[in-house]
Amino acid sequence: MKTLQIQAAKRADFGKKAAKACRREGQIPCILYGGGEEVAFTVDTKAVKPLIYTPNSYIVELTIDGKVEKAVMREVQFHPVREQILHIDFYRIQEGKPVAIAIPVRLTGNAAGVKVGGKLAQSARKLTVKALEQNLPDEIVVDVTPLNVGQTIFVGDLQFENLQFVTPATTAVCAVRVTRATRAAQQQ
């Protein structure tokens, strides 16, 4: 899995007033939790843009006052009107313990149902998986070649080595839908 390195500075002040002061200076208040002590820190707004405004998932190497911590981004809070980032939660990756993260889905192949007039629809753009850090893939590749019109691939149909799906097995990943043109051709 790809890694993104971000410089951070520890926070001493807490509360609403301190958070607003951080944001005025172009910083985002953050917290790192899991597997030990919680660490409150700030990061530069420009440093997290490649992490947030992308479909990819990353493991983040946070350098907090010289100490390097590996983490995954758990939650981002946005301002409801201005879309400004208000707060970010990071979860610490512990050696030998599985981590849960949302990974993008990429469809490959030409579905058999599309060749006869159906339409391929992708329902899930990301799936949440649980695995050790070294087993996390950059993306989940799903082959849609065997799909016929009206068929669906569910999370329960996917099998990957060293990967456990947290997303429910009944969640649809993609399907070949019947189009009006196909339905009209079948009725004649």
Side-chain angles (χ1 to χ4, degrees), residues 52-74:
I52 294 174
Y53 301 108
T54 180
N56 301 327
S57 296
Y58 294 100
I59 289 176
V60 183
E61 283 186 359
L62 296 164
T63 307
I64 306 168
D65 292 339
K67 186 180 177 192
V68 178
E69 296 270 10
K70 280 190 172 184
V72 291
M73 185 175 65
R74 275 290 172 192

Side-chain angles (χ1 to χ4, degrees), residues 11-32:
R11 267 193 315 165
D13 298 331
F14 301 99
K16 194 183 283 189
K17 237 179 177 179
K20 281 185 178 181
C22 287
R23 290 186 202 107
R24 271 194 301 272
E25 295 170 9
Q27 300 288 312
I28 300 171
C30 304
I31 191 153
L32 174 68

Side-chain angles (χ1 to χ4, degrees), residues 102-171:
I103 296 185
V105 176
R106 182 170 58 93
L107 304 179
T108 60
N110 269 346
V114 173
K115 293 177 185 173
V116 296
K119 183 179 180 188
L120 182 66
Q122 185 174 354
S123 306
R125 299 276 175 212
K126 286 189 173 189
L127 297 176
T128 305
V129 298
K130 192 175 193 179
L132 295 174
E133 177 193 354
Q134 60 271 18
N135 296 334
L136 289 172
D138 286 330
E139 59 188 6
I140 297 171
V141 181
V142 179
D143 184 24
V144 296
T145 308
L147 276 184
N148 287 314
V149 176
Q151 289 185 326
T152 305
I153 294 178
F154 294 99
V155 172
D157 301 333
L158 303 176
Q159 296 294 321
F160 289 93
E161 202 172 311
N162 300 323
L163 212 61
Q164 177 187 349
F165 287 96
V166 177
T167 305
T170 57
T171 304

